[in-house]
Amino acid sequence: TACNYACDHCIDWDALNLAVRHNEAELLAALRNLAARGLKSVILIGGGEPTVHPAFGAIVRFLKQELRVQTAVVSNGSRNEKIAEVADCFTRGDWVRLSLDAGSDATFQAMHKPKGKGITLDEICERAGAIKRANPAVHLGFSFVITWRGAQRDAVRVEENLHEMEM
């Protein structure tokens, strides 16, 4: 439930960066139990940014190498190197989706409010290539949450991006 962005349009707005932590041993045991009962796939979405979890790589390898389940990652792309580090264990049908939501860095910055230096849309797109270089079989895609003029969440104005879809 941790994230290194502060997006006004985030679906997990109320659940992010709370003190709630999952017990990793219990989580792995639950996944092992689900796999024994027929679990076929897992999407690591995190209710935030899954790659900020300290055990991200170990969990991906657990899912792929021990449980042998199809695995997908939905990421904001800010830590593509963490995905590239485990891309070697992805197999046919596994995928990564980067939530970009913008065509320009100015809109990207206004929408995502990255908490860190040097996180730009161009750098994310450039570093996405490392995932494909690590494993060309990984399906790599992008998502675009559409927002429009006048959109808001509670009393917070949401940055418009509709005009950048084609970009």
Side-chain angles (χ1 to χ4, degrees):
T1 59
C3 192
N4 57 347
Y5 286 6
C7 309
D8 295 326
H9 64 280
C10 181
I11 192 168
D12 295 312
W13 172 296
D14 296 327
L16 292 178
N17 301 316
L18 302 176
V20 176
R21 298 290 182 257
H22 301 288
N23 179 295
E24 191 174 322
E26 289 177 9
L27 177 62
L28 296 179
L31 287 167
R32 195 175 281 112
N33 185 20
L34 288 167
R37 294 170 179 252
L39 177 72
K40 301 291 183 206
S41 66
V42 172
I43 301 174
L44 299 173
I45 193 165
E49 172 52 36
T51 63
V52 300
H53 191 283
F56 171 76
I59 290 171
V60 169
R61 291 196 183 281
F62 170 78
L63 291 168
K64 293 305 301 171
Q65 295 170 341
E66 185 172 328
L67 300 185
R68 303 199 184 284
V69 297
Q70 185 178 13
T71 303
V73 179
V74 177
S75 171
N76 64 28
S78 64
R79 295 166 52 95
N80 280 336
E81 69 279 1
K82 296 293 181 185
I83 301 170
E85 287 172 5
V86 295
D88 64 295
C89 70
F90 288 142
T91 55
R92 181 182 167 128
D94 294 336
W95 53 267
V96 174
R97 188 185 79 212
L98 304 177
S99 301
L100 302 181
D101 309 321
S104 72
D105 190 57
T107 298
F108 174 83
Q109 296 294 327
M111 288 187 76
H112 293 281
K113 302 173 188 74
K115 302 173 192 174
K117 297 178 183 177
I119 299 173
T120 68
L121 180 61
D122 290 339
E123 288 174 356
I124 289 169
C125 291
E126 184 178 311
R127 290 185 303 199
I131 298 168
K132 290 295 279 185
R133 285 189 297 277
N135 185 346
V138 175
H139 292 278
L140 180 62
F142 306 92
S143 67
F144 198 100
V145 172
I146 299 169
T147 58
W148 53 91
R149 183 177 304 129
Q152 63 183 47
R153 178 180 196 118
D154 300 329
V156 176
R157 180 184 155 279
V158 174
E159 185 71 23
E160 177 185 4
N161 71 353
L162 180 62
H163 61 287
E164 293 196 357
M165 281 185 68
E166 187 175 342
M167 291 170 64

